Amino acid sequence: MSALSAAFVRLHARLTPVAFVPEVRLHQADEPIGLWELTEGEFRSDRPPPFWAFAWAGGQGLARYVTDHPETVAGRRVLDLASGSGLVAIAAARAGAAAVRAVEIDELAVAAVALNAEANGVRVDAELGDILDGDARDAEVVLAGDAFYSEAMANRVLRFLLRATRAGASVLVGDPGRAFLPRERFDELAVYEVPVSEALESVRVKRTTVWRLRAGRPAAAD
């Protein structure tokens, strides 16, 4: 975590409880558009604002599930894929995971994960990199919140997650009805009504499902 990235996170986000998982506090931004402009992005529907600065519905639902069902991760090695703010990783650490690895491609997100883990008094190993063409290494549980927001991302994530299940990992996904989630490959575990930012989602509550991926070898996904 660079000092500059950490300073940026502290300057532009406030440490506040997560709406649907108040046991966890995150550095969260008050307003998305200005922050997206500061990070040199372009705010439009196919380019979401910085994931690290908001508690997205899929992550909130998955973190709630892990918090309420600690046996899902307790004593196990956990990978939080496309971790964003680190919410799901922190929930897993709080639930007793043996080790938690949170991976992100955004340096600011890695800084946010580290700061948020420290604020919640847990250890999370925040890692910068794109691992989607690789594997989950020794992870026994792989968690992915709100990772199916675009077709290109969904295809890569699905292939990665299928490889993880074939290697023996349990794969759980939190998703608020994104168009690119292949629901036919999953079993439903829980459904929540999750409060969200209206500026991000155009609604105040998103119906969010936690799914478990079924291992399989369909030709389209290999």
Side-chain angles (χ1 to χ4, degrees):
M1 174 178 61
S2 74
L4 185 61
S5 294
F8 186 94
V9 171
R10 289 192 180 100
L11 180 62
H12 295 289
R14 294 183 300 112
L15 189 62
T16 56
V18 176
F20 199 59
V21 196
E23 300 93 330
V24 175
R25 295 186 303 157
L26 298 178
H27 288 83
Q28 300 177 73
D30 293 323
E31 184 273 320
I33 297 177
L35 179 59
W36 190 230
E37 291 171 345
L38 281 171
T39 53
E40 299 182 353
E42 180 179 358
F43 190 81
R44 59 178 193 265
S45 61
D46 63 336
R47 292 281 302 280
F51 280 121
W52 61 267
F54 307 97
W56 297 81
Q60 288 197 68
L62 189 51
R64 183 74 267 158
Y65 183 87
V66 167
T67 298
D68 293 343
H69 300 86
E71 68 279 2
T72 304
V73 298
R76 299 181 179 180
R77 296 182 298 275
V78 174
L79 168 64
D80 181 23
L81 185 67
S83 185
S85 65
L87 169 58
V88 176
I90 291 165
R94 293 185 71 257
V100 182
R101 176 183 171 217
V103 179
E104 254 292 344
I105 62 170
D106 180 356
E107 185 177 345
L108 288 172
V110 172
V113 172
L115 290 172
N116 290 333
E118 181 181 7
N120 286 276
V122 297
R123 175 172 179 174
V124 172
D125 295 322
E127 177 182 323
L128 179 67
D130 183 343
I131 65 170
L132 289 181
D133 293 329
D135 58 43
R137 298 200 320 218
D138 64 350
E140 297 169 284
V141 181
V142 178
L143 306 173
D146 229 327
F148 290 84
Y149 56 84
S150 74
E151 185 173 12
M153 179 69 169
N155 289 338
R156 295 189 70 208
V157 167
L158 180 60
R159 291 186 178 97
F160 179 92
L161 297 180
L162 284 170
R163 288 194 295 274
T165 63
R166 291 169 194 156
S170 175
V171 173
L172 273 62
V173 166
D175 186 84
R178 303 299 184 204
F180 300 103
L181 177 75
R183 292 165 184 77
E184 69 279 2
R185 300 184 186 275
F186 292 84
D187 296 316
E188 181 183 299
L189 297 179
V191 179
Y192 303 109
E193 299 295 326
V194 178
V196 292
S197 166
E198 191 171 9
L200 291 172
E201 300 282 12
S202 301
V203 295
R204 294 185 177 180
V205 175
K206 290 285 284 187
R207 187 174 180 84
T208 299
T209 304
V210 175
W211 304 91
R212 186 188 304 277
L213 178 63
R214 295 194 296 280
R217 207 172 279 275
D222 284 354

